[in-house]
């Protein structure tokens, strides 16, 4: 290489060093943001999992109570729970009596 080419590369390399440093800092910030986002998502998933586990635990406790408490008929109690669930589900919606409306 002759001196002219080396003379051109020296300023280019001198300008590339801060550009690489800025790019590296930017990549580091992006990685930190990605880690924070992942941690938040994981925490939310853990909370949802805990909630579902609590619901399952509550259901198991109800079943244990049905089986162990008093000498009740298990089938009767299960049917009562099903009937209660049907009532709860039917109350969730709002009935629309479109055909029975009076015209004003």
């Amino acid at each position: 290489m002759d001196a002219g080419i080396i003379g051109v590369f020296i300023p280019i390399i001198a300008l590339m060093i801060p550009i690489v440093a800025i790019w590296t800092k930017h990549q580091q910030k992006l990685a930190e943001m990605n880690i924070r986002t992942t941690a938040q998502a994981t925490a939310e998933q853990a909370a949802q999992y805990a909630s579902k586990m609590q619901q399952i635990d509550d259901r198991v406790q109800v079943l244990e109570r049905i089986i162990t408490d008093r000498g009740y008929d298990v089938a009767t109690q299960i049917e009562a729970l099903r009937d209660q669930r049907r009532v709860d589900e039917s109350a969730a919606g709002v009935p629309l009596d479109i055909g029975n409306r009076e015209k004003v």
Side-chain angles (χ1 to χ4, degrees):
M1 287 194 185
D2 68 353
I5 294 176
I6 293 175
V8 171
F9 280 126
I10 290 175
I12 292 174
I13 292 173
L15 291 173
M16 290 296 290
I17 291 172
I19 291 172
V20 169
I22 291 170
W23 181 78
T24 304
K25 284 183 183 179
H26 177 68
Q27 291 299 319
Q28 183 179 8
K29 286 181 184 178
L30 287 176
E32 289 172 359
M33 289 172 50
N34 190 15
I35 290 170
R36 260 188 255 122
T37 303
T38 303
Q40 288 174 351
T42 303
E44 290 172 2
Q45 288 175 350
Q48 290 174 353
Y49 178 76
S51 173
K52 287 180 183 179
M53 289 305 296
Q54 182 62 40
Q55 290 174 350
I56 291 171
D57 193 33
D58 292 343
R59 288 182 179 183
V60 168
Q61 287 178 359
V62 168
L63 291 173
E64 287 175 347
R65 190 171 0 111
I66 290 172
I67 297 298
T68 58
D69 288 356
R70 295 163 259 166
Y72 283 51
D73 182 28
V74 175
T76 306
Q77 289 188 357
I78 291 173
E79 288 302 319
L81 288 173
R82 286 185 183 152
D83 292 340
Q84 181 182 0
R85 179 181 263 174
R86 285 187 198 125
V87 169
D88 292 342
E89 289 174 357
S90 66
V94 177
L96 298 176
D97 293 331
I98 296 174
N100 295 337
R101 282 192 175 169
E102 295 181 23
K103 293 186 180 182
V104 179

